[in-house]
Amino acid sequence: SVYAGTFGAFAEGEVAAVCIGLGYAALDEYERVIFGSKAPYASDGSKRVEHEDWRRTYGVAMAKVDTAAGAVQHAARLYEVYAAESESGEEPFSAERTSRLSYSHFVAQKLVWEAVQSLVQTGGTSQLAGAARLQRYLRDIITANTRTDSLEFGAESLLRSRYSVPQESAEPALP
């Protein structure tokens, strides 16, 4: 019955799943950084992990990535339900349902973006040099979140599909 769904409802979930994996990889790298580097401005030579600022950053970032993972898993379960309902004729896999699932995937990606950004901000400038892993993760999550098919460019269609509101014309009015 999964073939009774729509492409738009699951396609962005694939991108979101990759972003979530990227988020967990960034957390692994951040652990390496904070366990292995001294805290700036700490006169006692203590490691970053010994200070609550870095532990807090890690905890908040982990919560965001975990939440993104939960959202994508929930969307996958809803996709299965909607596809089964569509296949049985109970309810079609509507544009509204497609949009809601797709946009929840975009939100999951944004959560990972926020998590990675916070890790990079507190990981130190050396984490942005050369081929540093956090730098690569940042580049990749930026790529996933700066496409023109992103949430901000498409979310207005949700209300249109829900209430059959016609789309505005993109053509300029001529005198």
Side-chain angles (χ1 to χ4, degrees), residues 1-172:
S1 70
V2 293
Y3 296 108
T6 62
F7 175 76
F10 78 84
E12 200 59 36
E14 294 175 342
V15 177
V18 170
C19 289
I20 290 161
L22 179 153
Y24 285 124
L27 283 159
D28 288 346
E29 181 61 14
Y30 190 75
E31 283 183 31
R32 187 193 67 74
V33 169
I34 65 174
F35 276 91
S37 61
K38 293 181 183 176
Y41 315 113
S43 59
D44 61 357
S46 56
K47 302 285 187 189
R48 291 176 191 228
V49 72
E50 297 175 61
H51 298 270
E52 67 181 42
D53 291 334
W54 285 276
R55 294 190 308 265
R56 182 183 316 106
T57 297
Y58 179 87
V60 170
M62 177 67 81
K64 287 181 178 186
V65 176
D66 284 344
T67 300
V72 170
Q73 290 166 2
H74 178 68
R77 285 189 297 275
L78 284 176
Y79 181 93
E80 291 175 334
V81 169
Y82 296 164
E85 289 175 354
S86 179
E87 184 178 53
S88 72
E90 182 180 339
E91 187 171 347
F93 206 123
S94 65
E96 176 190 355
R97 285 180 162 188
T98 297
S99 294
R100 290 178 73 177
L101 293 177
S102 179
Y103 301 154
S104 67
H105 296 138
F106 280 114
V107 171
Q109 292 170 46
K110 289 205 171 293
L111 285 171
V112 175
W113 154 250
E114 291 172 7
V116 172
Q117 187 177 24
S118 69
L119 299 176
V120 168
Q121 285 176 323
T122 60
T125 57
S126 64
Q127 300 310 308
L128 292 175
R133 287 183 181 144
L134 278 179
Q135 182 267 346
R136 292 193 326 252
Y137 300 145
L138 177 65
R139 179 199 63 213
D140 292 348
I141 198 68
I142 287 171
T143 301
N145 280 280
T146 56
R147 304 177 344 250
T148 57
D149 65 342
S150 68
L151 179 63
E152 285 75 13
F153 290 100
E156 62 83 27
S157 68
L158 179 59
L159 192 67
R160 279 193 293 109
S161 63
R162 183 176 180 100
Y163 295 104
S164 301
V165 176
Q167 184 171 357
E168 295 175 17
S169 173
E171 297 177 30

